Amino acid sequence: MRLEQIMSEKLLAKLRYASTSPTPEQVNGIKAMLCKKFNVDDIELELSEDKSIGGGFIVSCKNYEYDWSDAGRAKQLRAEINNLRREHGGNDAGKIISMLSDKVENFDLAVEDKEVGSVVWVGDGIANIDGIEHAFYGEIIEFEDGTKGMAQDIRDDHIGCILFGNDAGIRQGTRAVRTYKEAGIPVGEAFIGRVIDALGAPIDGQGDIKESGYRPVEGPAPGIIDRQSVNEPMETGILSIDTMFPIGRGQRELIIGDRQTGKTSIALDTIINQKGKDVICIYVAVGQKASTVAKIIQILKKTGAMDYTIVVSSTASDSAPLQYIAPYSGTAMAEYFMHEGKDVLIVYDDLSKHAVAYRALSLLLERSPGREAYPGDVFYLHSRLLERSSKLSSELGGGSITALPIIETLAGDVSAYIPTNVISITDGQIFLESDLFFEGMRPAVNVGLSVSRVGSAAQTKAMKKAAGSIRVDLAQYREMAVFTQFSSDLDETTKNQLAHGNVLMELLKQPLEHPLAMHEQVIILVAVGAKRLDMIPVKKVRDYKERLLEYFNTEQGEICQELEKSGDLSDQLKHKIIEAVDAFNDIENKKLKEEVEEIQKNNH
Ligand code: ATP
Ligand code: MG
């Protein structure tokens, strides 16, 4: 074909009308508008009848569509009603009708100018769309059957779109329309205590949730000026973590370890410990078994933690796009509360499965695989997620998001691709070890490999003073325990040091769902620091600890209150605690003596 021929070829537009064809004036008007839009001199308009549009007409040209149909108007009106509902917060029909009648009078019907494409390939939760030229990353694309997707991969000849619904109704040639909206989820107070899917829809069978607004799932992280440094503790209630690896509000602390080493348990105990502390918790389950998630919800309900918790669940049976989006949705929810000035704790369980979902998705989108077949931007996948956790400045309300991402390792290998990435993004890690777990050291925290890089700035003074040298003591003990393993005659000092270490290790064992309050932890640490526990046989330490704390809580309320109120441990208070421990030991000894006498008497 010669160039002049191509140039002279007319652009073809199609007009569908419901019953009455447009008048010649209307046709001329439409032609003039299209000529201006596409910058051509003339245009050919093909008319056809289409009853399904109800009334009016729809014009499509190239990949644009102009909607003057009744169906389009009805859709606009419906969107308007939903907006009204959200703005004025009501499901009250009367209220909506009165608001609507107001609106209808001033209702200005916009001509829908849409960019339309068609599906060329669909499968595994992915659709490739041809014809849409101007979509932006993260834009919602709507398909003919109502399924929604998100533009994820923008190329010059097609766009790759991840689907948020079933792809059964989508086939080759299905129309896909740009919505000009960023993917977002509904947020609000009403979500507290509920279980939702990755798109914010309730899945706990307790009815609709009334949202207070929408937030984009992929929001930018707060800038440097908007932040302040971490200065308030986020107590886990777990002695070994709060003393040695304290976490602050706004910090990101990774929980890392092999499978079945108690990772989820630490996160759950931390949530349980937030009772009455005015913290909102969000638990994001990614790629887990539905039965595991059900068990977790049951634990949260049983302990009363569900009252301040939101569970965002995308199980292993959900499609890769939903698993990929879930942590971002959870974070969007957390951001809503953070901007309201609240403190939020968010758990991502776990990010290894998140990376795997993203790998599946990227391979389907035909992105080139890199190390371990992950795409090149897998670091950015997690960094842009975790950077959104922060402590906002006081001017912005001082809210915070504390993140506890979880990573599963294989045979303790922390140098694999995903673990090293996430370790470098977070402000420290709690490393759990299988060997310790099986030895009965639970939680199985490896003291040598765990670290918290910012939390000590947020530790209460009392805790800081009481924790003192516990980490060094433990390190010395472990070294000595290995060294003296095979020697039989030990000198007195070594024996004492070993006994002290044994008691310390035993104290750090903590059963599930038994978080310790700050004052309880300080009391234990002061008692053990003053060597008041070293003579207790290791087997009896746990029992002794419980009775000691009960004694303090019931008989020495004053000390407990002073600790909680001042958050400090003066020398005087420390002295008082040691005296009380001695008093308790006397009572215990007396009881023991009486018991022994009783037994002796019975034997005679
Ligand atoms: P997965 O890799 O399967 O996600 P996980 O690392 O999250 O496992 P959990 O599910 O938290 O591990 O715990 C594994 C098992 O260990 C559970 O049965 C749990 O009850 C037990 N467990 C964890 N922590 C403790 C503890 N402190 N005391 C007693 N049992 C514990
Ligand atoms: Mg787990």
Side-chain angles (χ1 to χ4, degrees), residues 182-183 215-222 328 331-332 335 384-385 387-388:
E182 226 176 319
R215 280 195 78 86
V217 285
E218 296 248 22
Y328 297 99
T331 313
E335 279 171 340
R384 73 171 190 266
L385 173 73
E387 274 299 294
R388 286 160 75 182

Side-chain angles (χ1 to χ4, degrees), residues 466-522:
S469 60
I470 182 166
R471 228 183 138 171
V472 180
D473 286 356
L474 270 178
Q476 276 175 354
Y477 160 74
R478 272 182 305 144
E479 214 162 276
M480 202 175 293
V482 175
F483 199 62
T484 55
Q485 221 173 127
F486 302 109
S487 48
S488 50
D489 53 335
L490 300 169
D491 62 279
E492 206 57 32
T493 346
T494 316
K495 266 190 204 159
N496 286 344
Q497 244 172 351
L498 280 177
H500 182 66
N502 280 332
V503 169
L504 252 179
M505 292 293 275
E506 195 60 26
L507 278 176
L508 293 179
K509 290 181 188 168
Q510 200 169 329
L512 293 172
E513 296 159 35
H514 277 82
L516 293 170
M518 190 270 278
H519 73 265
E520 293 176 325
Q521 299 193 10
V522 171

Side-chain angles (χ1 to χ4, degrees), residues 259-265 408 437 442-443 510 512:
R259 52 177 297 277
Q260 290 289 305
T261 47
K263 305 183 295 297
T264 307
S265 302
E408 186 183 300
F437 189 83
R442 297 176 189 183
Q510 200 169 329
L512 293 172

Side-chain angles (χ1 to χ4, degrees), residues 153-399:
D153 200 40
I154 300 183
R155 311 254 171 135
D156 51 7
D157 56 345
H158 71 264
I159 63 166
C161 186
I162 56 176
L163 301 175
F164 292 144
N166 198 340
D167 60 11
I170 301 174
R171 53 205 76 222
Q172 195 188 27
T174 300
R175 261 161 43 91
V177 185
R178 273 188 71 183
T179 60
Y180 304 86
K181 281 189 212 133
E182 226 176 319
I185 67 153
V187 293
E189 267 81 16
F191 283 86
I192 297 174
R194 303 294 301 266
V195 184
I196 55 173
D197 68 9
L199 301 173
I203 48 171
D204 52 3
Q206 289 174 23
D208 290 347
I209 307 175
K210 202 171 77 52
E211 72 273 5
S212 318
Y214 274 87
R215 280 195 78 86
V217 285
E218 296 248 22
I224 296 166
I225 306 292
D226 299 337
R227 296 176 184 236
Q228 60 175 311
S229 56
V230 172
N231 56 24
E232 241 184 296
M234 167 66 70
E235 285 152 352
T236 62
I238 299 167
L239 187 64
S240 51
I241 296 176
D242 284 351
T243 53
M244 292 180 281
F245 318 106
I247 302 171
R249 296 190 179 186
Q251 189 180 341
R252 302 150 307 166
E253 182 80 3
L254 171 67
I255 302 172
I256 185 166
D258 282 3
R259 52 177 297 277
Q260 290 289 305
T261 47
K263 305 183 295 297
T264 307
S265 302
I266 286 188
L268 282 183
D269 279 355
T270 310
I271 292 180
I272 292 167
N273 191 44
Q274 302 313 314
K275 192 181 255 171
K277 295 205 166 95
D278 203 18
V279 173
I280 291 161
C281 301
I282 300 176
Y283 178 84
V284 185
V286 185
Q288 297 194 45
K289 284 179 286 186
S291 63
T292 312
V293 181
K295 218 189 282 168
I296 288 165
I297 294 169
Q298 206 183 0
I299 293 174
L300 291 174
K301 279 193 177 146
K302 188 182 75 188
T303 52
M306 204 63 203
D307 294 345
Y308 50 86
T309 303
I310 303 168
V311 176
V312 182
S313 162
S314 66
T315 56
S317 65
D318 284 328
S319 65
L322 286 177
Q323 293 184 36
Y324 157 67
I325 208 84
Y328 297 99
S329 302
T331 313
M333 187 72 79
E335 279 171 340
Y336 167 78
F337 293 110
M338 174 174 75
H339 288 293
E340 300 266 294
K342 303 231 172 73
D343 290 313
V344 187
L345 170 75
I346 185 163
V347 177
Y348 305 107
D349 195 0
D350 63 50
L351 289 188
S352 311
K353 296 199 182 77
H354 183 231
V356 168
Y358 187 59
R359 173 169 64 184
L361 207 145
S362 298
L363 291 174
L364 286 165
L365 286 168
E366 292 176 1
R367 290 187 185 153
S368 44
R371 184 174 160 190
E372 289 176 30
Y374 288 104
D377 64 342
V378 75
F379 183 89
Y380 183 52
L381 171 81
H382 291 147
S383 65
R384 73 171 190 266
L385 173 73
L386 293 166
E387 274 299 294
R388 286 160 75 182
S389 300
S390 66
K391 168 99 182 142
L392 288 184
S393 66
S394 315
E395 291 85 63
L396 290 173

